[in-house]
Amino acid sequence: MTLRARFAPSPTGYLHVGGARTALFNWLLVRKEGGVFVLRIEDTDRERSSEEHTRAILHGLEWLGMDWDEGPFFQSQGLERHKAHALQLLDSGSAYRDFSTPEEAARDREEEVAAGGRSRRARQRADAMSPEEVAARMEAGAPFAVRFRVPDGETAWEDGVHGEVRFRNQEIDDLVILRSDGTPTYNLAVVSDDVDMKITLVLRGDDHLSNTPKQILLYEALGRPVPAFAHVPLILGPDGRRLSKRHGAMAVGDYEKQGILPEAMFNFLAFLGWSPGDDREVFARQELVEAFSLERVLRKSAIFDLEKLRWLNGQHLMRMPTEELLPKVEARLREEGVLPAKGGPAEGAAAAATDPVPLDLPTLVELLKPRSRTVEELVAQARPYFLDELAYDPDAVRKHWLKDRQETLGRLENLLERLSAAEWTPEALEGAVRGLAEEMGVGAGKVIHPLRVALTGVAASPGIFDLLMLLGRARSLQRLQRAVAVLRSGKPLDFRGDETLS
RNA sequence: GCCCCCAUCGUCUAUCGGUUAGGACACCACUCUUUCAAGGUGGAGAGGGGAGUUCGAUUCUCCCUGGGGGCACCA
């Protein structure tokens, strides 16, 4: 029998990491086994469901690279079938009409709380009612709910991650399957849908563990084959509590915005509650499909560790071919206005005016890749290379320029002269810089650091010779000239605020 | 309160009765080095408590404790 698994989120919020991880385990298993992945949107809570959330969930799945084979189906479309199933249970005696008033229901509830167990009061009232009275009430249009008659005994199943789990049926309430307004409730709808979609494996969050016996009982009463169940542990926040808004970003889309790569998020999520059993950590999607197995899913809930996600993202970033990364970086640079908008009026003209020799973006990305953990970080580091008027970072200036302003000026002037005369190759540039340092009787760093600040405005960057090559002769010399001019001017440089000097 | 699930470094995890309890993130050194990363080397850091089974328990059983989830005419 082919595996048919499903992901069934309710669109009452965005796709959160817990849901995404559940979807991911389903997806991995299905792709590994060659099964069918069904997507179903459980939108029967009309109050809280929204189309916007549905779109966000679909987008989140697509972003993570999880495609589905069937659906999306909408639970609200199955209303008639749900009712039919409820009626079938009523006909077979597995369910009964409950005419209880709200007051009676409230009293039952109190009684159960006090007794610490199920009272089955509603069932007793229903059973005490003669068929004639039931008919009369229905004739009169009295409202009633349909309740499932939980049989005596025990319900157990072999859970895909927990092993055998069992519940005493007396712990299970005679659940309402059809409300007095005729709408189906969750457990009935889920079972009806899973039956309809021929689902063979229900893999979901641990929070559904206690729904499972109810649902198994429903399958059995409906005379339908019971699917396999597997309950994966929940993902907790850093404080060990259930992940919630308090913990900040919990929607997958939030991480997309932060510049997390989908393949890193995918990798990270897979490792929450699962591990391949060896020391490998960085996996591509396909590698995860091959390595995944339900047997290695942990029973223990895991805490979402943002730092590890960031590290993993850096690993994926480094490994990602530059051609692949380039469009993402370019798009962000355009959004930031660092690069002219694509197709915008300024694109050709502005670029020509300010950028006689366009910066080699692929090389820049190559240089910045191992220095960034997220696309956002990379973009932030890339920024200065496109700015004609550098903002000099006060800390960098203080450290590398102002310890001895005159001496720095002298070195940079000297450097300007040497570099102007140098052939623009890495070897020649290095020779010029090191030669100068040697002649001046100082370490190469004494020349290199001030130069770095002149070229980038900051204290941290890729190697200085890579930098000179990247920026090119004209741009490098122009920046150096500006630094010399600024230093000569005597303007104060070590203040925060508007650091842009023109 | 009742039911269910869970329990190895701060975090993610390996271990399927016998290990100096391994790896990764983070942290701290050192190293490479023109800075920052990346990389390399090293360090610190864990079996919640108590019984039992066993020649031997992190591993199996039970109890306690702790954490989580669930107890709706929500999903």
Side-chain angles (χ1 to χ4, degrees), chain A residues 255-300:
Chain A
Y255 295 95
E256 181 182 2
K257 283 198 203 82
Q258 288 177 25
I260 295 292
L261 299 169
E263 30 286 274
M265 192 71 191
F266 190 97
N267 190 169
F268 177 72
L269 253 18
F271 270 71
L272 245 31
W274 173 84
S275 82
D278 54 42
D279 288 343
R280 293 175 297 162
E281 299 258 17
V282 184
F283 278 73
R285 262 192 212 88
Q286 191 50 40
E287 293 174 318
L288 284 166
V289 168
E290 282 152 26
F292 190 77
S293 75
L294 208 47
E295 289 70 45
R296 294 202 63 86
V297 172
L298 275 299
R299 290 190 277 271
K300 186 175 66 159

Side-chain angles (χ1 to χ4, degrees), chain A residues 145-332:
Chain A
V146 177
R147 277 186 191 272
F148 180 65
R149 186 186 296 270
V150 172
D152 293 338
E154 252 189 359
T155 302
W157 74 96
E158 189 65 24
D159 192 273
V161 342
H162 288 281
E164 191 186 73
V165 181
R166 43 192 341 126
F167 284 79
R168 288 181 299 278
N169 290 177
Q170 65 187 32
E171 303 294 343
I172 304 167
D173 202 10
D174 271 1
L175 57 148
V176 168
I177 54 178
L178 221 51
R179 300 186 186 92
S180 43
D181 65 1
T183 59
T185 59
Y186 173 72
N187 284 111
L188 198 242
V190 166
V191 170
S192 176
D193 286 351
D194 284 339
V195 162
D196 186 53
M197 294 170 189
K198 300 183 164 50
I199 296 304
T200 61
L201 170 67
V202 175
L203 191 161
R204 70 225 307 194
D206 247 354
D207 49 341
H208 285 287
L209 215 46
S210 53
N211 280 327
T212 306
K214 299 176 191 173
Q215 295 178 6
I216 288 175
L217 258 13
L218 249 18
Y219 280 101
E220 288 171 346
L222 248 15
R224 301 298 184 137
V226 180
F229 289 93
H231 291 89
V232 302
L234 264 20
I235 297 175
L236 272 24
D239 55 356
R241 309 201 65 89
R242 192 176 190 170
L243 209 53
S244 71
K245 310 103 233 150
R246 294 181 290 110
H247 297 108
M250 54 180 294
V252 169
D254 296 335
Y255 295 95
E256 181 182 2
K257 283 198 203 82
Q258 288 177 25
I260 295 292
L261 299 169
E263 30 286 274
M265 192 71 191
F266 190 97
N267 190 169
F268 177 72
L269 253 18
F271 270 71
L272 245 31
W274 173 84
S275 82
D278 54 42
D279 288 343
R280 293 175 297 162
E281 299 258 17
V282 184
F283 278 73
R285 262 192 212 88
Q286 191 50 40
E287 293 174 318
L288 284 166
V289 168
E290 282 152 26
F292 190 77
S293 75
L294 208 47
E295 289 70 45
R296 294 202 63 86
V297 172
L298 275 299
R299 290 190 277 271
K300 186 175 66 159
S301 47
I303 289 173
F304 189 93
D305 182 4
L306 186 61
E307 275 313 310
K308 187 135 188 184
L309 169 60
R310 287 173 49 75
W311 168 78
L312 201 52
N313 199 63
Q315 294 294 316
H316 279 271
L317 206 59
M318 264 194 290
R319 286 167 171 73
M320 179 170 277
T322 297
E323 319 82 85
E324 225 173 289
L325 193 54
L326 214 49
K328 296 173 192 280
V329 174
E330 247 181 301
R332 286 293 299 122

Side-chain angles (χ1 to χ4, degrees), chain A residues 44 71 101 113 135 147 157 210 264 385 388 391 401 414 486 489:
Chain A
T44 41
T101 61
V113 169
R147 277 186 191 272
W157 74 96
S210 53
Y385 300 96
D388 281 329
W401 279 7
N414 235 318
V486 163
S489 75

Side-chain angles (χ1 to χ4, degrees), chain A residues 256-260 332 336 374-381:
Chain A
E256 181 182 2
K257 283 198 203 82
Q258 288 177 25
I260 295 292
R332 286 293 299 122
E336 299 246 314
T374 64
V375 175
E376 285 306 292
E377 274 183 29
L378 195 152
V379 166
Q381 290 190 75

